[in-house]
Short mmCIF file of all heavy atoms in Angstrom, two decimals:
data_model
loop_
_atom_site.label_atom_id
_atom_site.label_comp_id
_atom_site.label_asym_id
_atom_site.label_seq_id
_atom_site.Cartn_x
_atom_site.Cartn_y
_atom_site.Cartn_z
N GLU L 90 11.47 8.01 33.66
CA GLU L 90 10.53 8.65 32.74
C GLU L 90 10.83 8.19 31.31
O GLU L 90 11.97 8.25 30.86
CB GLU L 90 10.63 10.17 32.85
CG GLU L 90 9.52 10.89 32.14
CD GLU L 90 9.56 12.40 32.39
OE1 GLU L 90 10.66 12.96 32.48
OE2 GLU L 90 8.48 12.99 32.48
N VAL L 91 9.78 7.71 30.61
CA VAL L 91 9.95 7.23 29.23
C VAL L 91 8.85 7.82 28.35
O VAL L 91 7.80 8.26 28.85
CB VAL L 91 9.89 5.69 29.14
CG1 VAL L 91 11.05 5.05 29.90
CG2 VAL L 91 8.56 5.16 29.63
N ASN L 92 9.09 7.84 27.03
CA ASN L 92 8.07 8.26 26.07
C ASN L 92 7.15 7.08 25.78
O ASN L 92 7.63 5.96 25.57
CB ASN L 92 8.71 8.71 24.75
CG ASN L 92 9.30 10.08 24.85
OD1 ASN L 92 8.78 10.95 25.54
ND2 ASN L 92 10.39 10.29 24.15
N VAL L 93 5.84 7.30 25.80
CA VAL L 93 4.86 6.29 25.42
C VAL L 93 3.86 6.94 24.46
O VAL L 93 3.79 8.16 24.34
CB VAL L 93 4.11 5.70 26.65
CG1 VAL L 93 5.07 4.99 27.58
CG2 VAL L 93 3.36 6.78 27.40
N GLY L 94 3.09 6.12 23.81
CA GLY L 94 2.07 6.64 22.90
C GLY L 94 2.64 6.90 21.53
O GLY L 94 3.64 6.32 21.12
N GLY L 95 1.97 7.77 20.81
CA GLY L 95 2.34 7.99 19.42
C GLY L 95 1.83 6.83 18.58
O GLY L 95 0.92 6.12 18.97
N ALA L 96 2.41 6.64 17.43
CA ALA L 96 2.00 5.56 16.55
C ALA L 96 3.19 5.08 15.73
O ALA L 96 4.07 5.86 15.37
CB ALA L 96 0.89 6.03 15.61
N THR L 97 3.20 3.80 15.44
CA THR L 97 4.14 3.22 14.49
C THR L 97 3.30 2.80 13.29
O THR L 97 2.35 2.04 13.44
CB THR L 97 4.88 2.01 15.08
OG1 THR L 97 5.57 2.44 16.26
CG2 THR L 97 5.86 1.42 14.10
N VAL L 98 3.64 3.31 12.10
CA VAL L 98 2.79 3.13 10.94
C VAL L 98 3.59 2.49 9.80
O VAL L 98 4.71 2.90 9.51
CB VAL L 98 2.21 4.48 10.47
CG1 VAL L 98 1.33 4.30 9.25
CG2 VAL L 98 1.43 5.15 11.60
N PHE L 99 2.96 1.49 9.17
CA PHE L 99 3.51 0.84 7.98
C PHE L 99 2.51 1.05 6.86
O PHE L 99 1.29 0.96 7.08
CB PHE L 99 3.69 -0.66 8.20
CG PHE L 99 4.54 -1.01 9.38
CD1 PHE L 99 3.98 -1.16 10.65
CD2 PHE L 99 5.91 -1.17 9.24
CE1 PHE L 99 4.76 -1.48 11.74
CE2 PHE L 99 6.70 -1.49 10.34
CZ PHE L 99 6.13 -1.65 11.59
N ILE L 100 2.99 1.32 5.66
CA ILE L 100 2.11 1.49 4.50
C ILE L 100 2.55 0.50 3.43
O ILE L 100 3.71 0.52 3.00
CB ILE L 100 2.15 2.93 3.96
CG1 ILE L 100 1.74 3.90 5.07
CG2 ILE L 100 1.24 3.08 2.75
CD1 ILE L 100 1.96 5.35 4.73
N LEU L 101 1.62 -0.36 3.01
CA LEU L 101 1.92 -1.41 2.05
C LEU L 101 1.02 -1.29 0.83
O LEU L 101 -0.12 -0.82 0.93
CB LEU L 101 1.69 -2.79 2.69
CG LEU L 101 2.38 -3.04 4.03
CD1 LEU L 101 1.84 -4.30 4.66
CD2 LEU L 101 3.87 -3.15 3.83
N ASN L 102 1.53 -1.76 -0.30
CA ASN L 102 0.69 -1.85 -1.50
C ASN L 102 -0.23 -3.06 -1.37
O ASN L 102 0.18 -4.10 -0.86
CB ASN L 102 1.56 -2.01 -2.75
CG ASN L 102 2.33 -0.76 -3.07
OD1 ASN L 102 1.83 0.35 -2.95
ND2 ASN L 102 3.58 -0.93 -3.47
N ILE L 103 -1.46 -2.91 -1.84
CA ILE L 103 -2.41 -4.01 -1.87
C ILE L 103 -2.54 -4.49 -3.31
O ILE L 103 -2.89 -3.71 -4.19
CB ILE L 103 -3.80 -3.58 -1.33
CG1 ILE L 103 -3.71 -3.18 0.13
CG2 ILE L 103 -4.82 -4.70 -1.54
CD1 ILE L 103 -5.02 -2.68 0.70
N GLU L 104 -2.24 -5.76 -3.53
CA GLU L 104 -2.39 -6.33 -4.86
C GLU L 104 -3.85 -6.57 -5.19
O GLU L 104 -4.29 -6.34 -6.31
CB GLU L 104 -1.63 -7.65 -4.94
CG GLU L 104 -0.42 -7.56 -5.83
CD GLU L 104 0.28 -8.89 -5.91
OE1 GLU L 104 -0.27 -9.81 -6.54
OE2 GLU L 104 1.39 -8.97 -5.36
N GLN L 105 -4.59 -7.05 -4.21
CA GLN L 105 -6.00 -7.35 -4.43
C GLN L 105 -6.74 -7.12 -3.14
O GLN L 105 -6.26 -7.43 -2.05
CB GLN L 105 -6.14 -8.81 -4.87
CG GLN L 105 -7.53 -9.19 -5.29
CD GLN L 105 -7.59 -10.62 -5.83
OE1 GLN L 105 -6.71 -11.42 -5.55
NE2 GLN L 105 -8.60 -10.91 -6.61
N PHE L 106 -7.96 -6.57 -3.24
CA PHE L 106 -8.79 -6.28 -2.08
C PHE L 106 -10.20 -6.82 -2.36
O PHE L 106 -10.83 -6.43 -3.33
CB PHE L 106 -8.83 -4.76 -1.83
CG PHE L 106 -9.69 -4.36 -0.67
CD1 PHE L 106 -9.27 -4.55 0.63
CD2 PHE L 106 -10.92 -3.77 -0.88
CE1 PHE L 106 -10.04 -4.17 1.71
CE2 PHE L 106 -11.72 -3.38 0.19
CZ PHE L 106 -11.28 -3.59 1.48
N LEU L 107 -10.66 -7.72 -1.51
CA LEU L 107 -11.98 -8.33 -1.68
C LEU L 107 -12.77 -8.18 -0.41
O LEU L 107 -12.26 -8.36 0.68
CB LEU L 107 -11.86 -9.82 -2.02
CG LEU L 107 -11.03 -10.20 -3.24
CD1 LEU L 107 -10.83 -11.71 -3.26
CD2 LEU L 107 -11.70 -9.73 -4.50
#
Side-chain angles (χ1 to χ4, degrees):
E90 191 174 36
V91 296
N92 283 325
V93 297
T97 301
V98 179
F99 304 89
I100 302 170
L101 308 168
N102 291 320
I103 296 177
E104 249 181 71
Q105 187 175 21
F106 179 75
L107 304 170

